[in-house]
Amino acid sequence: MLQYYRKLKRNNQKMRNNEMANLMNEFPSIEIKQDEPLMYYTYTHTGGPADWLAFPKNVDEVKQLVDYARTHQVPLTVLGNASNLIVKDGGIEGLVLILTKMDAITVDHNEVTAQAGAAYIKTTEVARDHSLTGLEFAAGIPGSVGGAIFMNAGAYGGETKMVASSATVLFPDGTIKKMSNQELDFGYRHSSIQDSHGIVLDATFTLQAGVHDEIAAKMKELNDRRTAKQPLDLPSCGSVFKRPQGYFAGKLIHDAGLQGYTAGGAQVSKKHAGFIVNIDHGTAADYVAVIHHVQATVKKKYGVALQTEVRIIGRN
Ligand SMILES: Cc1cc2nc3c(=O)[nH]c(=O)nc-3n(C[C@H](O)[C@H](O)[C@H](O)COP(=O)(O)OP(=O)(O)OC[C@H]3O[C@@H](n4cnc5c(N)ncnc54)[C@H](O)[C@@H]3O)c2cc1C
């Protein structure tokens, strides 16, 4: 039996290598890395290898890779800045696209359009430099524009849904559609992209004319608040849990005495109870162990079921 499985594993590896050779031959102009550790890219500094990690530079390349994955039945995963992810230690099977090379930002009157891989923070700075107000809330959110649309990222009373007027989305069947704010169906850390499995290619933010120095001052104030409250000196994925109805996740975790709880190298932050920080070569398994312990303890003490905001993906 063991021999049978070894042979199966060898055959799968052979098939994988052949497919890889095809993929690289087919797209010589796209940077593609094999067995690339994702811990180099994630904000938690954890995560095993992507079988293949591709860096498309434009929409055409994204489309070609998506078509290839569909035709060859290769599992496909899209990453932005990997700031809201725990990639498991076994890595990600198949083809992983990272969109950070698609980062152009343009301004037309009061509309800012950013490609999916543009940093959300950079987008807020471009808006500020054009004296456009509305995006200040996002000044310190370290995700990409695609990730912000996907998650309806928000902070300090602002949410992406308040300013994103449309997004261009590539659907798994290869069609591309401009989705309106309504069609994006934003909710608390939710958008319709999570259900449709589309890939956000770009987004347009409709802003208001404002005063440059006031916008800059607001962004600085919010970033100062972040620095004061959040453990930004250590790897993390931001707030790990969603806000439960009627409670604050951080307060429940603090009141349960969980700050400082550690599994391996992952620790509930002593500075901000909603964060789990990587203090010493923590693995994804360490993160998951801390998450489970926090969920079980808070449930037992307060009867509240904490749901993760961070997305846990990949193979064990
Ligand atoms: C220090 C710190 C502070 C943070 N503060 C905040 C905060 O104040 N508010 C907040 O909301 N979040 C916060 N976050 C979390 C995170 O920055 C946001 O959720 C952000 O929107 C994630 O974007 P990303 O590009 O990093 O997405 P990733 O982490 O790369 O991916 C997250 C999900 O989005 C999907 N995705 C990414 N790009 C695309 C795309 N182009 N098309 C389709 N799907 C895509 C991925 O498949 C994945 O499922 C913080 C994180 C850190 C580390």
Side-chain angles (χ1 to χ4, degrees):
M1 198 63 166
L2 190 63
Q3 265 178 342
Y4 168 79
Y5 279 117
R6 281 201 182 125
K7 193 170 167 207
L8 198 69
K9 211 172 155 193
R10 272 201 307 274
N11 285 345
N12 282 346
Q13 182 66 37
K14 224 164 120 186
M15 262 169 60
R16 227 158 61 77
N17 288 345
N18 286 342
E19 278 177 28
M20 183 60 196
N22 286 342
L23 185 67
M24 288 190 154
N25 289 340
E26 205 144 330
F27 305 112
S29 65
I30 306 178
E31 185 184 358
I32 301 175
K33 295 182 177 180
Q34 185 173 12
D35 291 330
E36 175 72 354
L38 289 168
M39 64 184 295
Y40 298 160
Y41 303 85
T42 57
Y43 266 68
T44 55
H45 296 190
T46 65
D51 287 349
W52 312 321
L53 181 64
F55 299 76
K57 297 179 290 300
N58 52 50
V59 171
D60 204 39
E61 290 183 352
V62 175
K63 198 164 168 0
Q64 288 175 40
L65 291 165
V66 169
D67 288 346
Y68 181 93
R70 190 178 56 248
T71 315
H72 293 80
Q73 298 187 333
V74 175
L76 181 80
T77 305
V78 181
L79 306 185
N81 266 0
S83 64
N84 197 45
L85 284 177
I86 293 172
V87 174
K88 291 188 190 167
D89 300 313
I92 302 182
E93 186 187 352
L95 179 58
V96 178
L97 309 189
I98 192 154
L99 301 187
T100 44
K101 289 200 170 171
M102 290 170 54
D103 62 353
I105 304 172
T106 54
V107 181
D108 182 10
H109 295 92
N110 64 332
E111 290 193 336
V112 177
T113 298
Q115 285 187 306
Y120 209 17
I121 290 176
K122 178 77 190 159
T123 311
T124 68
E125 290 167 356
V126 169
R128 176 201 61 201
D129 294 345
H130 286 76
S131 301
L132 292 170
T133 181
L135 264 177
E136 294 89 324
F137 73 89
I141 299 180
S144 66
V145 163
I149 295 285
F150 184 92
M151 291 300 300
N152 182 24
Y156 303 111
E159 275 182 298
T160 300
K161 76 168 182 185
M162 295 171 173
V163 281
S165 40
S166 65
T168 311
V169 180
L170 169 63
F171 289 97
D173 66 359
T175 55
I176 293 182
K177 190 179 169 206
K178 189 164 176 168
M179 309 274 290
S180 67
N181 176 291
Q182 256 187 340
E183 288 170 315
L184 290 165
D185 193 24
F186 290 115
Y188 174 55
R189 299 297 172 266
H190 181 268
S191 73
S192 63
I193 311 298
Q194 294 177 16
D195 310 316
S196 67
H197 305 290
I199 298 178
V200 178
L201 299 172
D202 67 40
T204 296
F205 302 95
T206 300
L207 307 171
Q208 309 296 321
V211 178
H212 175 274
D213 290 358
E214 288 174 11
I215 297 165
K218 184 75 190 165
M219 286 167 62
K220 183 177 178 319
E221 181 213 322
L222 295 182
N223 276 332
D224 288 350
R225 278 165 71 179
R226 251 177 216 279
T227 313
K229 292 223 167 108
Q230 298 180 358
L232 301 181
D233 53 331
L234 288 168
S236 80
C237 47
S239 295
V240 174
F241 301 101
K242 288 184 183 172
R243 193 177 54 241
Q245 192 93 39
Y247 299 91
F248 289 102
K251 179 157 172 29
L252 290 170
I253 296 166
H254 170 269
D255 292 350
L258 286 164
Q259 280 183 277
Y261 176 82
T262 306
Q267 182 179 73
V268 178
S269 167
K270 293 177 184 168
K271 189 169 179 184
H272 186 311
F275 281 52
I276 298 175
V277 287
N278 193 343
I279 52 166
D280 185 16
H281 302 93
T283 62
D286 295 341
Y287 261 86
V288 170
V290 174
I291 288 171
H292 286 166
H293 180 75
V294 168
Q295 285 174 321
T297 308
V298 168
K299 177 84 182 146
K300 198 167 159 203
K301 284 203 167 189
Y302 305 109
V304 179
L306 290 178
Q307 311 282 339
T308 51
E309 173 173 329
V310 63
R311 300 179 74 86
I312 303 170
I313 62 171
R315 58 195 162 198
N316 287 315

